[in-house]
Structure formats: C-alpha cells, structure tokens
Amino acid sequence: MDLETGFHHVKKESWRTVLTLAYQSLGVVYGDLSTSPLYVYKSTFDEDIHHSETNEEIYGVLSFVFWTLTLVPLLKYVFIVLKADDNGEGGTFALYSLLCRHARVNSLPNCQLADEELSEYKKDGGVNGLSPKSNLGSRLKSSLEKHRVLQRFLLVLALIGTCMVIGDGILTPALSVFSAVSGLELSMSKEHHKYVEVPVTCVILICLFALQHYGTHRVGYLFAPVILIWLLCISSIGLYNIIYWNPHVYRALSPYYMYKFLKKTQQGGWLSLGGILLCITGSEAMFADLGHFSQLSIKIAFTSLVYPSLILAYMGQAAYLSRHHNIESDYQIGFYVSVPEKLRWPVLVIAILAAVVGSQAIITGTFSIIKQCSSLGCFPKVKIVHTSSKIHGQIYIPEINWLLMVLCLAVTVGFRDTRRMGNASGLAVITVMLVTTCLMSLVIVLCWQKSVFLAICFVFFFGTIEALYFTASLVKFLEGAWVPIALSFIFLVVMCVWHYGTLKKYEFDVQNKVSVNWLLTLGPDLGIVRVRGIGLLHTELVSGIPAIFSHFVTNFPAFHQVLVFLCIKSVPVPHVRPEERFLVGHIGPRECRIYRCIVRYGYRDVHKDDIEFEKDLVCSIAEFVRSENSSPHYVKVDRETDNDDKMKVVGTCLTHLDGIQMSEDDSDNIEEAGPSELKEIQSPTIKPRKRVRFIVPESPKIESESMEELRELTEAREAGVAYILGHTCLRAKQGSSLIKKLVIDFGYEFLRKNSRTSTLALTVPHVSTLEVGMVYHV
C-alpha cells in the first residue's frame, strides 16, 4: 500500500466530476438516512401514542418529520456544518482538529512549532495565528489556551461524540436489517413470524461482518445503484399513495399540526419524539464522510434526490394511514403496510439490500473514526488493513469488526423489536448531533472569527431542537436507551485510560531524556564501539536522547556507525504532503553520523510498509546531507530550540526528482551502468549483499565532506538496517493514589498487553528487530 495514493487533493472540479461524486455518495453517505422510513412510523406509534380516526396523530407526526428533516439535515448540515471542513475532511475529530490549531489546544504531547508551517495546517486561510475579532472571542481563546481543565473538557466532549458514533455502528446495522426483514410479517402468521425474523436478521448480519475483510471496493459500485433504486422506489410508492389515498395530506406540513399533536397527546406525544428522531438517523454521515467526496456533490445529492424522496415517502405513508384506522394487529403501523400488495416482495428484497448498504457505510465509518482516535493517541493500537490501494479510506480492523458483530448480534437477540432498538439508536444519534453543535459554536468564534452572538444563536436554535429530542430519548433509559450509554461509557473509559497512560509515558521520556553532550562523551575510554550498519531507534521524543537509549548503551556498549533517532508522529491535520513528510537534522557534530528524523503523518494518512519506508528514510537523510550546504535553510522546531535541534524539511523520494535518488540491486545481478550525466557514489565494500547507489545531480557541486558522509551512509545501508524498539512497562510510582494505581498498573497495562505494537514494529522483519525492555515509574 502506497501512502501517497490515498492523498486527498482539493481542486476545482468540473460539473461532470461533481455529478459523478454526487451519484457515488448515495451508496456511501445516504444509505442509513435513506432506510429510515422502514422504522420511523412503527417506532413512533409503537406504545406512546395511538392512531385515531381524527388523524391528528399521524398528521402531527408527519409535520414533525418534515420540519426535523428540513431544519437538521438540510439547514444545519448542508448549509452550515459542511463548511467547517478540515482541509476537505469532516467529522467530530475534524472539528476538534480545527479547534486544536486555531486555539493552540492539542492532545498530542510531541507537537512542534515546525508543524504549524505545514501547508495543510495553514490552508484554511492562515488564521491560526490570529485572534477572534470580538473581545469575548479573544477571551474565550485565551481561556482555552491557559486552562488545562477546559482543554480536557474539549477532548472529552470530542471523545463522547466519537464513542456514540461507535455505538451507532453497533445499533444501526441491527435496526436497519431487522426493520427490513420485518416485512416478512405480512406474508406469514404472527406465530411463525417471530421464529423467522430474528434468525434471518442474524444470518444477514453475520454474512455482512464476515465479508468485511474483502473490502467494499469489489462490490462498492453496486452501492449507489441500490440506494438510487430504493429512493426511486419509496418516492414512487409515496407519490402513488398520496394521489390514490389522500391528495390533501400536504396540509399536514404546516407547523400548526405539531401544536395540535402535542396539545392532544401531551406527555405521550413528547415521548414519541424518540421515534420521530429516527428520521434523521445517518445525517451525521454527510459531514463524517466529507473526505471521500466534496461539499457541492453532497449538497446536490441531498437537495435534489434524497430530501425530496424521503419527504414523499413519509407523506405517502401518512396518506395511506389517514384512510386506514382499523388496527388488526401490532404491526399494521409501519412501512410495508403502505406498499401495494403486489410489490411487497420486490420491495422487501430492495429494502434488505438497502439496509445492508446503509449498515456497510456505518461500519466503514466506525473503522475510520477508530483509526483517527488511534492516530491521535486516544485509542489502543489496532491492526489496520487497507483493503484497496486505489480508494481512499477503505480500511478493515479485524478486532473491531468481530467486536461489532458480537455486540450487534447481542442487541438483535436481546431486544427482538424495533422499539427498543430505535430508542437505543436514537439516543446515540442525537448525542453525536449535540456534540457537533457544541463544537460548531466554538468553530464559529475561533475559526470563522464570527461574533459570539452568532454562535449563541446557533447553539440556542439547533441545541433547543436537539435537546428536546435528547430528553425524549433519555427518558426511555430502561427501554433500550441504556445500551448506547453503557457502550459509550466503556469505550470512553478505554480511550481516557489509554490517553492518560500515553501522556504519562511521554512525560517520563521528557523528564528522563539525556543531553546531547552525554552522547558525545561516549567513546573508546568507556568501551563504546561502532558497528557496521544503520541503527533506527524508535522514540516518541522530538528532542533530546531518550532514556531507553542510555539504558541500552549502559548494558550493551555498542551502537551502529549511522544512528538515527526515529520519531513517527501524528499531527492535527488530515494529511501531510509528501514533500513535507520528513524533518531531518544532525545530533552533535557531523562526523558522529547521528541523525534525528521526524516522520509526520496526518490522522487520515496511510503508513507505508517497511521496504518503501526504509528507502524513503535513507533517501531523505541523503538529500538532507546533500542540501545542507547548498540550501542551509532550517526550520524552527520549537519555541525554545537550540543549535543542536536545527532541522530541515525533506520530502519523499518522489518529491525531489532533481535531488538524490537511491537504487538498490542484488549483488548477483549488477550490470554495468551506461554513460550518464549523473555521478554515482558507490561503496568500495567487497561483495555486498546489496549494491546501494546514490545518484546525485552534477549541480550544485557537493563538498568533499558531504561526499564522504554519503559514502558512509551507502556502506551502512548495504550492511543492513537494525530496528531498536523500546518495550516499556508502566508502573505507578510509590505514593500514587489508588485510582492512579488502578489506571496505570491494571487499566493501561491490560490495554497495552492486549493491543498491537506500533506500526513500525508490525512491519519490520523480526530478524532485524532488537527490543529493549525498561520499566517506567510514572
């Protein structure tokens, strides 16, 4: 998997491209939202209110559905929230990332001043260094920057939204597939139906999760047609029902019917809002999946097709029910009863396919957001498999996939009805929306530099609507709403424990790092020897010498002729451009051949495998050596930097074609090179396992000192690369509180032992790996 193939470029798109993206977004973005008519009316009329001959209930519900769809997905998301993208990316972490950059609030401990020079960091107008225009906005920004409590609250708020998205990834597949399969109830007796519905749903869910490791790119081209056919199907049936049963149902769109509905039903009507809420399930996907498409394509798809189709579908169901008041059984209020009898079987098949597509989208979104959490140090390391080398964001996480499947099956078997599933899903959905509203209000002030009054109006208007639905869902705690709360609490505890342990580990590294002078004093007097090859010591530190290295040298007094302190870090931007990937610098004098290399990735970037990574790393060091004298432009790494921390930005091999290039050949297959205008620096080593060549341009002229340094780098690369990885164990130091001991000694250590090691440790050959164990008392 090549990292750069997944890089998201923002460019001006033609109308043909926009319309193609709008069509493709139907299968990825709108699968969940499009299948909501399957269960909204059934969940709403299940217990709290009843359908009467006056039709005040059905008209009131239709009015609530219409205005909820209009105000939340259309007005809030399409016209406002979509504009708050993070360099083309959306979602909860995109908003948090924007706030991190504009208010200098960051959960990542190893951030540097040089990170603020990244193109993606400054692309949003370069306002990250400016203060909001209003005095209240400036005070809000300074308060966020000064008070750690506010920073932690902001992080926890973002994590709560993230946990609810994960909970939605468990509940939505169960609810969508179960509701689609419930169409069987009209074709068999109720006694037989209850023994068929749950097993069929479980079989479909097992197949859905079992096929995840193949990736969606092989059948992804079918997703958009399925949702398109489904939308045309429900809108056509809805239009037929309107014309045939009640052409005057459009009058129910008036807000007056909401007033009449609440006046008649009172508390029951308020409680039924938990079912009405399900009509906007999946709205957050418009923002979360923004990185795969564009703002304009998502807007066009929603306003021109999805929104009108959903309104017609809900109006059609209401028109049919307004003429049918004889309730013979519990399942008459629902989607399939309004479908003409001759079309029920074809519609059932399409509904199941649409439910599978909608479930697939939320599962993929769950994988994506867990990857973002892991990149930002808020989730244990997991195995991430990239199922497509062409489609950006197509990933598969085995551990999470099977966990989601088990929990999804447990919800299906445990609840066995759409009412409690709907209560659970509704609370998860509305909580995510409330978190988005809160974060958006801060984005309006700090990032867009609008007035605080405008942010308050935004929170008050949309927050009031969402709070109304939130309270109606929360009241049903014992009727299913406890599930997302319990799941989110467990995931939140895991995230907070992992983040706390990661911070403490980094703080220990910072407090116990040794100076460069200590490293320079190591020599023959102490028995230190240099062995052939390149030593890559992986560390989280961006300055100084990590304690793990001093521990290693003390017990094993030798290290490689070329030593590289390698730091692979994430930065709060979605992508880092290839030409800005590496920060390279010397540690100590040049003749020591000790380097520091910081590799920067965005939270949506794909990491390269070991072979490509090694080549890019060595090539970036060689390019740094070549350009050190010809272009002595260094970046300021930290605000309190010294001369030993001067570093240069170096891109990958493909980004400096006019600079140094590296080629490797097997020693048995070396052919004589033809005449060339480029010089080749070759190692005089006899019979190497691999012949390594640095091809350097004629101009500018390279000094003899740099040529010698390149020659030594060539020899070291031919001798091989060894990875020195720290295997640390955290223990709470003496005198720590009981809670800290539980969190560090049991919580964090349990997660560490049962999670994957770093990405680097997963990809390097075991024969080239040396682990150094050390206990950290934090």
Side-chain angles (χ1 to χ4, degrees):
M1 160 61 71
D2 188 352
L3 167 71
E4 318 311 342
T5 57
F7 194 82
H8 180 76
H9 295 276
V10 179
K11 60 181 180 180
K12 190 173 180 63
E13 298 163 329
S14 64
W15 276 106
R16 182 177 180 180
T17 304
V18 170
L19 293 177
T20 302
L21 288 174
Y23 169 72
Q24 293 173 346
S25 70
L26 293 176
V28 177
V29 177
Y30 296 110
D32 190 13
L33 184 61
S34 299
T35 55
S36 58
L38 287 170
Y39 43 78
V40 169
Y41 281 123
K42 188 171 184 178
S43 299
T44 304
F45 285 94
D46 194 64
E47 187 176 87
D48 300 311
I49 57 175
H50 300 283
H51 185 33
S52 66
E53 294 190 4
T54 61
N55 288 327
E56 289 182 347
E57 292 87 359
I58 192 65
Y59 288 163
V61 170
L62 175 60
S63 184
F64 264 104
V65 168
F66 172 76
W67 287 105
T68 303
L69 277 171
T70 302
L71 294 177
V72 179
L74 185 62
L75 181 59
K76 176 187 172 182
Y77 280 95
V78 170
F79 291 108
I80 301 177
V81 176
L82 282 181
K83 296 179 180 178
D85 65 299
D86 181 16
N87 295 304
E89 299 291 339
T92 304
F93 263 102
L95 294 176
Y96 179 70
S97 175
L98 279 175
L99 294 172
C100 284
R101 301 205 301 272
H102 285 77
R104 298 188 188 278
V105 176
N106 209 322
S107 63
L108 299 171
N110 56 358
C111 287
Q112 301 167 281
L113 191 62
D115 297 338
E116 299 180 13
E117 299 300 319
L118 291 169
S119 301
E120 296 284 313
Y121 209 106
K122 302 186 293 183
K123 187 185 290 183
D124 47 15
V127 296
N128 44 303
L130 302 178
S131 298
K133 296 178 181 179
S134 64
N135 292 330
L136 285 175
S138 299
R139 277 186 278 176
L140 176 62
K141 179 182 177 182
S142 61
S143 297
L144 275 174
E145 293 175 349
K146 291 178 182 177
H147 297 91
R148 293 292 299 274
V149 175
L150 295 178
Q151 296 176 17
R152 289 169 183 165
F153 174 77
L154 190 64
L155 175 62
V156 170
L157 186 65
L159 292 180
I160 289 174
T162 300
C163 293
M164 284 295 181
V165 171
I166 299 173
D168 195 27
I170 296 168
L171 298 166
T172 295
L175 177 61
S176 298
V177 176
F178 189 88
S179 299
V181 174
S182 66
L184 296 171
E185 64 190 0
L186 297 178
S187 59
M188 60 179 66
S189 64
K190 188 176 180 182
E191 289 75 16
H192 295 131
H193 167 257
K194 63 182 180 180
Y195 295 110
V196 173
E197 193 173 31
V198 174
V200 171
T201 301
C202 291
V203 169
I204 293 174
L205 290 173
I206 291 173
C207 293
L208 175 63
F209 283 100
L211 295 175
Q212 289 298 312
H213 71 281
Y214 290 108
T216 59
H217 61 285
R218 295 176 182 173
V219 293
Y221 64 92
L222 294 175
F223 286 1
V226 167
I227 299 300
L228 178 61
I229 294 172
W230 169 250
L231 288 172
L232 294 177
C233 176
I234 62 175
S235 59
S236 301
I237 293 173
L239 189 61
Y240 166 79
N241 285 330
I242 293 171
I243 296 173
Y244 188 81
W245 294 110
N246 189 355
H248 301 291
V249 74
Y250 69 88
R251 296 174 181 172
L253 303 182
S254 169
Y256 174 68
Y257 284 88
M258 291 192 290
Y259 167 74
K260 290 181 64 178
F261 170 75
L262 292 176
K263 183 179 179 181
K264 180 180 179 179
T265 57
Q266 298 182 358
Q267 184 179 359
W270 171 60
L271 292 175
S272 69
L273 293 179
I276 298 173
L277 160 67
L278 298 176
C279 71
I280 53 176
T281 293
S283 299
E284 186 74 20
M286 285 192 288
F287 185 48
D289 294 327
L290 182 60
H292 301 286
F293 304 99
S294 64
Q295 290 185 27
L296 186 57
S297 63
I298 290 179
K299 290 179 180 179
I300 289 174
F302 183 78
T303 55
S304 64
L305 182 61
V306 178
Y307 178 74
S309 299
L310 290 175
I311 297 301
L312 285 175
Y314 287 115
M315 288 179 65
Q317 290 186 58
Y320 179 88
L321 293 172
S322 67
R323 295 292 184 265
H324 296 79
H325 304 97
N326 297 325
I327 307 300
E328 298 177 359
S329 57
D330 295 337
Y331 47 70
Q332 286 297 311
I333 301 291
F335 170 75
Y336 288 103
V337 73
S338 64
V339 178
E341 190 171 351
K342 294 181 180 179
L343 298 177
R344 281 177 184 168
W345 279 105
V347 170
L348 174 66
V349 174
I350 299 173
I352 293 175
L353 292 176
V356 169
V357 171
S359 302
Q360 175 62 56
I362 194 69
I363 292 169
T364 304
T366 304
F367 292 158
S368 179
I369 201 165
I370 287 178
K371 176 183 179 296
Q372 295 177 29
C373 290
S374 182
S375 298
L376 296 176
C378 297
F379 199 85
K381 300 294 182 182
V382 290
K383 181 182 180 180
I384 297 175
V385 180
H386 298 274
T387 58
S388 174
S389 60
K390 297 179 180 179
I391 303 176
H392 170 60
Q394 293 291 342
I395 62 174
Y396 165 69
I397 304 176
E399 299 94 331
I400 300 300
N401 180 68
W402 302 123
L403 178 63
L404 291 179
M405 187 190 77
V406 171
L407 293 175
C408 193
L409 292 175
V411 168
T412 304
V413 176
F415 284 159
R416 302 188 181 194
D417 66 80
T418 56
R419 179 175 61 87
R420 288 182 290 179
M421 289 184 192
N423 293 338
S425 180
L427 183 62
V429 168
I430 201 63
T431 304
V432 176
M433 291 183 176
L434 275 171
V435 170
T436 300
T437 300
C438 295
L439 294 178
M440 267 301 301
S441 62
L442 294 176
V443 169
I444 291 173
V445 176
L446 301 178
C447 305
W448 293 355
Q449 300 183 25
K450 303 297 182 181
S451 66
V452 176
F453 175 75
L454 189 63
I456 293 175
C457 291
F458 178 85
V459 171
F460 179 78
F461 183 75
F462 291 107
T464 301
I465 297 172
E466 291 161 359
L468 182 65
Y469 284 115
F470 179 78
T471 53
S473 298
L474 194 61
V475 168
K476 299 181 179 180
F477 179 84
L478 298 178
E479 299 175 24
W482 61 269
V483 172
I485 295 177
L487 291 174
S488 299
F489 178 76
I490 294 172
F491 280 109
L492 184 63
V493 168
V494 169
M495 291 180 178
C496 291
V497 167
W498 184 263
H499 183 65
Y500 178 76
T502 303
L503 286 180
K504 288 298 178 183
K505 179 181 175 183
Y506 185 79
E507 289 175 3
F508 182 91
D509 279 331
V510 172
Q511 294 168 1
N512 293 273
K513 67 182 180 181
V514 295
S515 65
V516 177
N517 293 330
W518 172 86
L519 181 62
L520 298 179
T521 57
L522 298 177
D525 295 338
L526 298 177
I528 302 294
V529 296
R530 304 289 289 267
V531 297
R532 295 178 66 244
I534 298 177
L536 295 181
L537 191 142
H538 185 242
T539 176
E540 299 295 330
L541 290 178
V542 293
S543 63
I545 309 299
I548 199 80
F549 180 71
S550 63
H551 180 67
F552 169 70
V553 172
T554 303
N555 292 276
F556 190 76
F559 57 90
H560 296 79
Q561 68 182 102
V562 174
L563 182 63
V564 181
F565 288 95
L566 176 65
C567 174
I568 300 176
K569 56 179 279 190
S570 295
V571 291
V573 294
H575 303 283
V576 175
R577 294 182 178 276
E579 57 268 23
E580 299 172 323
R581 177 75 62 214
F582 297 96
L583 277 175
V584 185
H586 278 117
I587 297 181
R590 293 182 62 173
E591 54 269 17
C592 291
R593 307 297 188 247
I594 302 176
Y595 306 91
R596 184 185 310 283
C597 186
I598 300 173
V599 190
R600 302 178 291 184
Y601 289 103
Y603 57 80
R604 293 295 298 267
D605 276 333
V606 179
H607 293 217
K608 280 191 173 180
D609 57 29
D610 59 310
I611 298 175
E612 287 296 320
F613 179 77
E614 276 186 19
K615 182 178 178 181
D616 272 344
L617 180 65
V618 176
C619 199
S620 67
I621 296 174
E623 178 62 19
F624 164 75
V625 172
R626 182 194 71 86
S627 61
E628 190 173 14
N629 294 323
S630 60
S631 177
H633 175 68
Y634 294 92
V635 296
K636 190 174 183 182
V637 178
D638 290 307
R639 292 174 178 82
E640 298 179 357
T641 186
D642 53 31
N643 293 331
D644 293 324
D645 287 329
K646 293 191 301 183
M647 306 186 78
K648 294 187 68 172
V649 177
V650 183
T652 58
C653 293
L654 297 178
T655 61
H656 49 79
L657 297 177
D658 56 342
I660 284 188
Q661 297 296 312
M662 186 179 75
S663 65
E664 296 179 330
D665 302 304
D666 292 335
S667 57
D668 297 334
N669 298 318
I670 298 176
E671 298 180 359
E672 292 297 328
S676 173
E677 296 179 358
L678 300 177
K679 289 184 178 179
E680 293 184 3
I681 300 178
Q682 302 180 14
S683 168
T685 307
I686 300 175
K687 294 182 180 180
R689 287 175 297 176
K690 274 193 175 184
R691 186 184 182 212
V692 179
R693 296 176 294 168
F694 284 131
I695 306 176
V696 300
E698 288 282 354
S699 178
K701 194 72 174 178
I702 301 181
E703 296 181 355
S704 58
E705 186 179 4
S706 298
M707 293 285 283
E708 180 61 29
E709 192 171 353
L710 286 174
R711 185 168 286 109
E712 289 190 27
L713 185 61
T714 305
E715 293 178 3
R717 179 68 183 94
E718 287 180 347
V721 178
Y723 292 82
I724 305 172
L725 307 176
H727 188 83
T728 55
C729 178
L730 261 62
R731 290 287 183 268
K733 59 186 177 182
Q734 291 185 349
S736 300
S737 63
L738 178 62
I739 295 179
K740 184 176 180 179
K741 290 180 179 179
L742 290 174
V743 170
I744 296 296
D745 295 350
F746 297 98
Y748 181 81
E749 278 302 298
F750 174 80
L751 294 175
R752 183 188 65 81
K753 291 176 181 178
N754 291 277
S755 65
R756 299 275 177 164
T757 52
S758 65
T759 305
L760 183 65
L762 281 173
T763 55
V764 298
H766 293 294
V767 71
S768 304
T769 305
L770 176 64
E771 287 193 338
V772 181
M774 189 172 177
V775 178
Y776 284 12
H777 293 279
V778 298

